[in-house]
Amino acid sequence: QLQLVESGGGSVQAGDSLRLTCTVSGRTVSSLTMGWFRQAPGEEREFVAGAIWTGANADYADSVKGRFTISKENDKNAMYLRMNSLKPEDTAVYYCAAKYGSTWAFWGQGTQVTVSS
């Protein structure tokens, strides 16, 4: 059974950086299409970044392009989201997810990121 566990969230100041980690068990990270989503209070969950590792393709929401980077580390079977130049509007619960077919079928429990001005 595929399981995803996020970590690395916290409270930071605007302009700071954070790195989120998604630890994968049950499958190898390199075999999955994976992504990061976030949900702010009162808002719908939105796509942040995603990657098809086999094709070395990454996609980002316009709001985070140039500031966030998605990556993986096979030895640790983990995916990361490096977030630079954080803004208050980046405040949200961040989730990692993996696809099954064309559906984002597997989700972690989420990690809170709070950015204060």
Side-chain angles (χ1 to χ4, degrees):
Q1 178 73 10
L2 177 61
Q3 290 189 318
L4 309 175
V5 179
E6 302 96 336
S7 60
S11 296
V12 297
Q13 299 287 321
D16 286 350
S17 297
L18 276 176
R19 189 182 76 163
L20 305 183
T21 300
C22 176
T23 301
V24 180
S25 59
R27 291 278 299 277
T28 57
V29 64
S30 57
S31 70
L32 298 167
T33 296
M34 298 195 68
W36 289 96
F37 292 75
R38 66 186 181 187
Q39 188 167 20
E43 303 288 333
E44 293 189 354
R45 192 173 297 188
E46 65 173 357
F47 173 82
V48 175
I52 302 173
W53 309 117
T54 54
N57 295 319
D59 190 24
Y60 297 92
D62 288 343
S63 58
V64 306
K65 279 182 181 176
R67 298 189 298 123
F68 290 13
T69 304
I70 189 172
S71 64
K72 67 176 175 69
E73 187 169 357
N74 292 341
D75 289 350
K76 295 188 177 180
N77 211 36
M79 174 179 71
Y80 305 105
L81 184 68
R82 177 68 179 182
M83 305 185 294
N84 295 329
S85 303
L86 283 161
K87 304 175 181 180
E89 51 263 44
D90 295 318
T91 294
V93 177
Y94 283 72
Y95 299 89
C96 67
K99 276 194 172 181
Y100 182 79
S102 60
T103 302
W104 292 103
F106 300 94
W107 296 85
Q109 83 287 352
T111 187
Q112 177 71 46
V113 173
T114 302
V115 185
S116 56
S117 58

